Amino acid sequence: MESSRAQGTVLERGRSLQESEPGSADQESEEQQQFGNIFRQIAGDDMEICADELKNILNRVVNKHKDLKTQGFTLESCRSMIALMDTDGSGRLNLQEFHHLWKKIKAWQKIFKHYDTDQSGTINSYEMRNAVNDAGFHLNNQLYDIITMRYADRSMNIDLDSFICCLLRLEGMFRAFNAFDKDGDGIIKLNVLEWLQLTMYA
């Protein structure tokens, strides 16, 4: 299989522009406690959750945010979340992995709300480009077009679930590429089985 290259002028994984706000530490501590309680109720004795249970937890919390118009997260999105955050390969999340995931979702949700100025629960394809860039993913026009085709509806709008799912996929793909790019030259070489393993669980 031919080598894959991620050129700096085409693809760049940057840092998110989200900054902590005053008083956010106390709010986060209280929120983590609430999440911990919900997590323990749903996870049971093994203290791990599957995609169905993750969907239950997230949608219970998201529904409490009246300022955010959303239908919640789908099972497919939750599977993508587990694929990204599942560090031990169990196909489930423990409480620590879940907290790490929620921090990402909160940061990306904040970006989405910034561009959803009419509070319709969607952003258009142009706003999507800016939102993806703000999340720290700097792509070329061809990739933005692919994202729009993959995640936008017939009106070329993207809802929160699709936005989060897109960013999860990008994060997972960059992480996987960097894991194979041992010498950091932006080039990796994979055989067919490695390629399948890389792309199937993402």
Side-chain angles (χ1 to χ4, degrees), residues 69-88:
K69 186 177 180 181
T70 176
Q71 299 297 316
F73 295 103
T74 64
L75 180 59
E76 187 59 34
S77 294
C78 292
R79 285 172 176 157
S80 295
M81 293 176 193
I82 288 182
L84 176 65
M85 306 307 302
D86 175 24
T87 55
D88 58 5

Side-chain angles (χ1 to χ4, degrees), residues 3-60:
S3 298
S4 301
R5 179 184 296 272
Q7 299 179 1
T9 56
V10 177
L11 298 172
E12 180 185 350
R13 177 67 175 97
R15 295 179 60 188
S16 172
L17 301 181
Q18 299 305 301
E19 300 291 342
S20 297
E21 297 178 354
S24 62
D26 293 339
Q27 181 181 358
E28 184 172 306
S29 178
E30 182 181 348
E31 189 175 70
Q32 285 184 348
Q33 188 174 4
Q34 292 175 350
F35 264 124
N37 292 335
I38 297 174
F39 188 94
R40 292 180 185 91
Q41 291 173 11
I42 294 178
D45 294 337
D46 62 356
M47 283 300 290
E48 289 188 332
I49 55 173
C50 63
D52 280 307
E53 293 166 330
L54 176 61
K55 178 174 177 281
N56 188 354
I57 293 175
L58 290 178
N59 288 340
R60 281 173 62 175

Side-chain angles (χ1 to χ4, degrees), residues 102-119:
W102 179 242
K103 286 182 179 180
K104 287 182 179 294
I105 292 176
K106 280 207 305 180
W108 293 340
Q109 180 179 291
K110 185 176 180 180
I111 294 172
F112 184 89
K113 287 175 65 176
H114 173 74
Y115 287 100
D116 182 20
T117 54
D118 60 356
Q119 297 184 335

